[in-house]
Amino acid sequence: MGPFIRMKNVTRRFGDVVAVDDLSLDIEKGELFCLLGASGCGKTTLLRMLAGFETADSGTIEIDGRDMANVPPSERPVNIMFQNYALFPHMSVANNIAYGPRRAGMSGGELDERVAKLLDLVRLSGLGDRKPHQLSGGQRQRVALARALARNPKLLLLDEPLAALDKKLREDTQFELVDIQESLGTTFMVVTHDQEEAMTLASRIGVMDAGRLAQVDAPQKLYEKPVNAFIADFLGTVSFIDGTVKTVTDKNVMIAGELNVTSVNDGRFAKGDKVRAAIRPEKISLTPEKTGAPNEMPVTIEDLAFLGVALNYRVICDNGKMLKVHHPNRSGEKSMTWGDKGFVQFLPEDVILLEE
């Protein structure tokens, strides 16, 4: 049995602009998949092609084994939840949710039961008689989700579903969305530009760049093992160090360049290769005294930001190279401040080597 969604060599152009460029992607049934990318990378166009609102110029799209080429949006086993929710302001919450099933012919007790189950699913029981303007932003988001699920779509497409919520509410709603998806087993495809949101929601993420998929992987692998500098820089914060492989041993690769760095040897690089080393800020330790740890070098603190749970530092090495450091805010530990001198250290296994 093949994948639930199969896109093969799909291209979509708007005049001279190639929005989606020869893209191929398989998504399994019951998966919560995220398309992640900056504005204009083609992710929403891809979503609209799955929904049937856009037509591919070339390539094929299959959903549940059926070619979607000549299937209109109304006949696809798909529903879409838009960023602005598009709730009917004159209808109650219950009638907003009931709208789709009612148009499909459902009525009476069956419809009432369906609406009640969905209200319970999205934790809005007892609010069915309210109008959308009487709800909070998070509650409206859940009404829109319930309405999108009302006709039991095999695939639910969510276009920036949490963008209108404030940061705290968005964080809480992310976990609710995952719980709902897991309880239903419906295939979800979420489009977002928010890296943290994608990492929280998805079992797999496809990172798009200029109409192409730069990498498709589980969140942890994308973060820890990016295939190139674009992915490393797009997902989270990173410091890059450019250099040349100076020495290769069975265990390590030594790099000379902007800084002298030792990394683990994964067999990809030889002496003389140009490389770019990437180090995440939370992998770098900052101490006031020298420790003798690997990849240790003296630094001066140029800037810092207090975040509550941690401090973000920008430190300058003796040669002027800047590194970003994320240091936990530990009880009883004296934090360093502007102008202080100290040392940074990071383990060879935390250095990500990329082709320059």
Side-chain angles (χ1 to χ4, degrees):
M1 189 173 179
F4 179 68
I5 299 171
R6 169 158 283 172
M7 290 174 273
K8 191 172 182 182
N9 305 116
V10 173
T11 297
R12 179 67 170 126
R13 297 181 180 86
F14 297 97
D16 294 333
V17 177
V18 182
V20 177
D21 188 4
D22 195 34
L23 183 145
S24 296
L25 175 65
D26 290 346
I27 297 173
E28 299 301 323
K29 189 171 184 177
E31 187 171 5
L32 202 167
F33 186 90
C34 270
L35 277 175
L36 175 64
S39 297
C41 71
K43 58 188 187 298
T44 297
T45 300
L46 192 62
L47 203 74
R48 290 175 61 81
M49 285 194 287
L50 280 166
F53 302 144
E54 299 285 352
T55 303
D57 294 306
S58 59
T60 59
I61 297 175
E62 294 180 5
I63 299 177
D64 203 15
R66 183 183 178 191
D67 191 337
M68 294 287 111
N70 298 309
V71 181
S74 60
E75 295 180 17
R76 297 189 180 202
V78 176
N79 209 342
I80 187 165
M81 179 179 160
F82 295 101
Q83 182 177 344
N84 64 1
Y85 308 153
L87 298 176
F88 299 118
H90 63 288
M91 289 186 182
S92 67
V93 167
N95 282 328
N96 264 281
I97 296 170
Y99 182 80
R102 186 177 285 126
R103 283 181 61 90
M106 188 182 292
S107 62
E110 183 185 11
L111 180 58
D112 292 342
E113 184 180 353
R114 179 71 181 145
V115 171
K117 283 184 177 179
L118 285 164
L119 284 169
D120 185 57
L121 179 71
V122 298
R123 302 177 190 177
L124 292 176
S125 296
L127 301 182
D129 292 333
R130 294 194 185 182
K131 297 288 181 63
H133 74 271
Q134 296 174 305
L135 302 178
S136 69
Q139 289 170 332
R140 287 196 296 272
Q141 187 267 349
R142 284 181 275 163
V143 175
L145 178 61
R147 189 179 66 176
L149 291 166
R151 293 185 64 178
N152 287 322
K154 292 182 178 180
L155 170 64
L156 182 61
L157 308 173
L158 302 100
D159 188 6
E160 301 279 5
L162 310 180
L165 306 182
D166 62 62
K167 180 173 170 44
K168 183 71 170 67
L169 184 56
R170 188 164 65 245
E171 289 173 353
D172 293 341
T173 308
Q174 286 167 3
F175 290 105
E176 289 183 2
L177 191 59
V178 171
D179 290 343
I180 289 169
Q181 191 274 336
E182 288 179 347
S183 68
L184 293 173
T186 304
T187 307
F188 279 25
M189 178 184 273
V190 179
V191 159
T192 182
H193 68 278
D194 188 312
Q195 297 95 326
E196 185 177 324
E197 184 174 298
M199 301 276 278
T200 302
L201 291 175
S203 52
R204 282 194 309 150
I205 299 171
V207 182
M208 288 193 70
D209 180 33
R212 290 179 172 268
L213 282 169
Q215 186 175 350
V216 179
D217 256 315
Q220 185 174 356
K221 190 167 183 183
L222 275 172
Y223 188 81
E224 301 285 355
K225 301 291 182 184
V227 296
N228 55 38
F230 169 78
I231 298 290
D233 194 31
F234 189 76
L235 276 175
T237 305
V238 70
S239 296
F240 290 113
I241 300 168
D242 292 330
T244 303
V245 176
K246 183 179 180 182
T247 308
V248 177
T249 68
D250 289 342
K251 291 185 177 180
N252 294 323
V253 174
M254 278 69 80
I255 300 150
E258 292 181 301
L259 297 170
N260 294 328
V261 173
T262 299
S263 177
V264 171
N265 182 11
D266 61 7
R268 291 183 299 136
F269 297 97
K271 185 177 180 179
D273 287 348
K274 299 287 187 183
V275 294
R276 172 164 284 183
I279 306 108
R280 298 289 186 189
E282 70 275 10
K283 306 293 187 182
I284 303 177
S285 298
L286 175 63
T287 58
E289 305 293 337
K290 193 170 185 177
T291 67
N295 291 318
E296 185 168 60
M297 55 200 76
V299 295
T300 302
I301 295 172
E302 181 184 67
D303 212 346
L304 67 90
F306 179 73
L307 305 178
V309 297
L311 292 99
N312 281 349
Y313 289 98
R314 288 158 57 100
V315 301
I316 302 296
C317 301
D318 286 351
N319 68 345
K321 177 67 179 177
M322 189 269 288
L323 297 175
K324 302 166 188 174
V325 180
H326 183 83
H327 189 76
N329 182 20
R330 298 188 181 98
S331 178
E333 183 179 85
K334 184 180 178 182
S335 59
M336 300 175 70
T337 190
W338 291 274
D340 283 357
K341 294 189 179 296
F343 293 83
V344 293
Q345 313 88 15
F346 45 91
L347 297 174
E349 52 265 39
D350 291 329
V351 179
I352 305 165
L353 289 188
L354 305 165
E355 293 181 12
E356 195 177 39

